[in-house]
Amino acid sequence: MTANLTTAFVAAAMRSRGYSVFEGPERDITGGAADSRNVSHGDLFAAFPGENADGNLFVADALKAGAVAVICSRQPDGEWPGATIAVTPDVTRAVGELAHAWRRECGPRVVGITGTVGKTTAKDFTAAVLANRFNVHSSPGNLNSREGLPLALMSLRRDHQVSVLELAMDSTGEIAELAAIAEPEIGAVLNIGFTHVSKLGSIDAIAAEKLSLVRGLPRTGTALLNADDPRIAPVAAELGCSVITFGCAEEAALRRGQVTDRGLDGTSFDVTFGETTERVNSPLPGAHTVSAVLTAIGAAIALGVNLRGAASAVSQSRATGRARVSHTEAGATIIDDRYNSSPASLAGALEMLAGLPGRRIALLGRMAELGEFEESEHRKAGAVAARSCDLLVCSGETCRALAEAARAAGHGDVRWFETKEEAAAAVAAIIEPGDYVLVKASRGEAFETILHVLEDAR
């Protein structure tokens, strides 16, 4: 029997739920996709109804690209004898049902990770650390939503012992829905912040949503809770499962000592659990990544690894996460952290920048989804930037407040531009050997379109 999900399993699971299935030859499925442009050979394509485009319109494209199975709400035109096609009135529900059935079939121990910021870094690093002892599956990229998490489970195999999954949300009830599909045994809550407040309405609503992950764990499970976050720590007392709190707080079960920042080479710190203390050398740069490391250690302990083994696995792991380092023609270093931005992640990145040698340049764009807190949070970020970089360059109307706050806090070289293109050109014109340039903005700002301007600077 193959270890992979197969089209035969898909056909049986979909038929058992009353959906129409046109079954092709049995083939292995190695992943899932919801964008026909991203389909790889062996994928299952889910034709989700999108805000801007209906996935049913791209089924043929997905099949031509190599999809071996499709879940859609309309039978595609033409003949596709080589593929298995399930037709259902609700694609999102059907894909979730398939993912849950396959997760049950494979039976891994599931680690679910949520939080406002740092989920992907924590997920990737936890998977890397656990791979030292287990055969580990993890969700690719940021497949973490109602649509994404089920697709992440399409690459799960029967021989995987552990699956590390990222759970995100932008509406009430989403975390609980994802947990019902993934059935985590271990749940980690990293932090709770203002991102998504524009959709959920309040920080209390965000907290309730994030904490639903650990509140729904089985009694035999383990909750990993950030003891340094006042919105997370109190929930430990109400849980019926095992709890491992982590952080620098004196009461944390997994307690870290003072962090030594080694710049882009990572961080070092002592960690104590019970009567044991070990030195941890993390490859992740910046003190703001320490919670991801503690999450990985906590997950390893929950899975039966002792502290020494977990600390050793951290030290042997390679850096993972959103930030990427590259170098310009002029000999400057670009810290490409522009995938996303929030108050906590931006503050952490700026503090990491502050510890680097040479001239430090911050090229910043808008932080999204802050609702009524947008201006105040950008002003707070400006105050952090004032003490963290030698040159602050920012773009977009929202970042006027950030620039103004930095100037008010005493920064002597702040430059604001209407567009990111103008901002990037200004930085490229002055880059010198030895400079460090932090590039950070929310995903919707599309800062990837200006990165080449910096990297090509001479």
Side-chain angles (χ1 to χ4, degrees), residues 228 246-250 252-261 267-273 276-280 287 290-291 293-294 297 307:
D228 299 330
F246 63 85
C248 66
E250 187 65 30
L254 184 63
R255 189 174 68 257
R256 68 157 177 85
Q258 183 175 354
V259 176
T260 299
D261 194 329
T267 59
S268 297
F269 48 92
D270 288 338
V271 171
T272 300
F273 185 71
T276 305
T277 298
E278 296 289 340
R279 188 67 173 172
V280 173
V290 169
S291 62
V293 180
L294 294 175
I297 294 173
L307 181 61

Side-chain angles (χ1 to χ4, degrees), residues 108-385:
R109 303 178 76 178
V110 175
V111 180
I113 298 174
T114 194
T116 298
V117 297
K119 295 184 294 297
T120 301
T121 297
K123 178 260 299 180
D124 289 342
F125 196 68
T126 298
V129 168
L130 295 181
N132 189 266
R133 294 291 183 91
F134 304 98
N135 187 0
V136 177
H137 165 267
S138 64
S139 46
N142 66 328
L143 292 179
N144 56 20
S145 63
R146 280 188 179 93
E147 294 80 16
L149 182 133
L151 292 179
L153 287 166
M154 299 299 111
S155 57
L156 181 66
R157 299 196 311 265
R158 288 186 173 90
D159 57 349
H160 281 129
Q161 297 168 289
V162 176
S163 179
V164 185
L165 302 173
E166 177 182 341
L167 283 69
M169 61 86 197
D170 62 7
S171 61
T172 302
E174 187 164 3
I175 294 289
E177 290 178 30
L178 299 181
I181 292 170
E183 295 184 329
E185 169 188 340
I186 299 166
V189 185
L190 303 176
N191 42 58
I192 294 170
F194 283 104
T195 303
H196 297 309
V197 72
S198 62
K199 295 182 178 179
L200 272 75
S202 71
I203 192 70
D204 290 338
I206 293 171
E209 184 65 19
K210 297 293 186 183
L211 291 168
S212 67
L213 170 61
V214 292
R215 286 176 171 140
L217 290 173
R219 295 188 66 84
T220 54
T222 302
L224 306 177
L225 302 176
N226 186 347
D228 299 330
D229 191 315
R231 294 187 175 90
I232 296 175
V235 81
E238 72 180 61
L239 299 180
C241 62
S242 298
V243 176
I244 299 176
T245 53
F246 63 85
C248 66
E250 187 65 30
E251 63 271 18
L254 184 63
R255 189 174 68 257
R256 68 157 177 85
Q258 183 175 354
V259 176
T260 299
D261 194 329
R262 296 183 285 117
L264 296 181
D265 292 327
T267 59
S268 297
F269 48 92
D270 288 338
V271 171
T272 300
F273 185 71
E275 301 299 317
T276 305
T277 298
E278 296 289 340
R279 188 67 173 172
V280 173
N281 296 301
S282 165
L284 299 181
H288 63 294
T289 65
V290 169
S291 62
V293 180
L294 294 175
T295 297
I297 294 173
I301 290 172
L303 291 169
V305 180
N306 62 28
L307 181 61
R308 174 170 292 182
S312 175
V314 168
S315 299
Q316 295 174 41
S317 298
R318 298 180 62 184
T320 60
R322 296 294 190 192
R324 296 289 182 268
V325 175
S326 62
H327 301 281
T328 71
E329 293 286 340
T333 300
I334 306 296
I335 305 168
D336 171 16
D337 197 13
R338 43 79 196 168
Y339 178 79
N340 217 338
S341 189
S342 68
S345 68
L346 177 55
L350 286 168
E351 288 163 4
M352 181 268 294
L353 180 68
L356 298 177
R359 185 170 60 159
R360 299 152 303 171
I361 302 171
L363 173 55
L364 308 179
R366 173 177 177 258
M367 296 181 287
E369 298 186 347
L370 295 175
E372 64 183 288
F373 301 98
E374 183 171 79
E375 181 175 348
S376 62
E377 290 299 324
H378 280 84
R379 289 192 179 278
K380 290 178 185 177
V384 176

Side-chain angles (χ1 to χ4, degrees), residues 408-430:
H411 200 299
D413 197 351
V414 178
R415 309 179 192 184
W416 177 86
F417 295 90
E418 186 173 352
T419 69
K420 61 180 180 288
E421 290 79 13
E422 292 172 312
V427 173
I430 61 169

